Amino acid sequence: ADDGDIVLDPRRFAVVEDLHGDAVVAAFTEPATLASRHPGGARCARVVGWRLFPLLHQLRLGSLRINPGGRFGGELYRHEIETLADAVQRTRGGRD
């Protein structure tokens, strides 16, 4: 499906950890890593960053884990998510 048709519901993010009282959620760019974390299958949606980062910023997360347990990944903390959300706002000018 086109990610433009996806309505992101913040309650649908899987919280994987707590960081000083704030939620840590996961995102996967590698299907194999997602499958290894959820061998029975998992509901997921493909979302482009310009839609994702403003939403994550609104949620005031502790961090976003990218491909946790995978070969390639990392973690973005709240201030980094805010920087990316601000960049989206500047470059897209509020357009959806």
Side-chain angles (χ1 to χ4, degrees):
D2 180 352
D3 68 277
D5 297 332
I6 295 171
V7 176
L8 295 174
D9 181 348
R11 296 168 297 178
R12 304 293 302 249
F13 285 98
V15 175
V16 296
E17 196 173 308
D18 179 89
L19 179 66
H20 306 293
D22 295 316
V24 174
V25 298
F28 296 89
T29 62
E30 303 170 330
T33 303
L34 174 61
S36 72
R37 293 280 295 204
H38 301 280
R43 291 186 55 131
C44 61
R46 183 174 296 192
V47 182
V48 294
W50 68 265
R51 287 194 181 274
L52 180 64
F53 290 110
L55 175 66
L56 294 178
H57 175 57
Q58 290 173 7
L59 295 176
R60 306 240 351 120
L61 298 173
S63 70
L64 170 69
R65 293 255 174 92
I66 302 167
N67 297 322
R71 186 170 159 200
F72 301 103
E75 188 166 15
L76 295 173
Y77 294 97
R78 178 180 288 159
H79 69 282
E80 294 166 313
I81 293 168
E82 179 181 7
T83 298
L84 290 166
D86 289 345
V88 167
Q89 181 62 32
R90 282 192 313 275
T91 60
R92 295 199 58 85
R95 295 180 314 226
D96 258 347

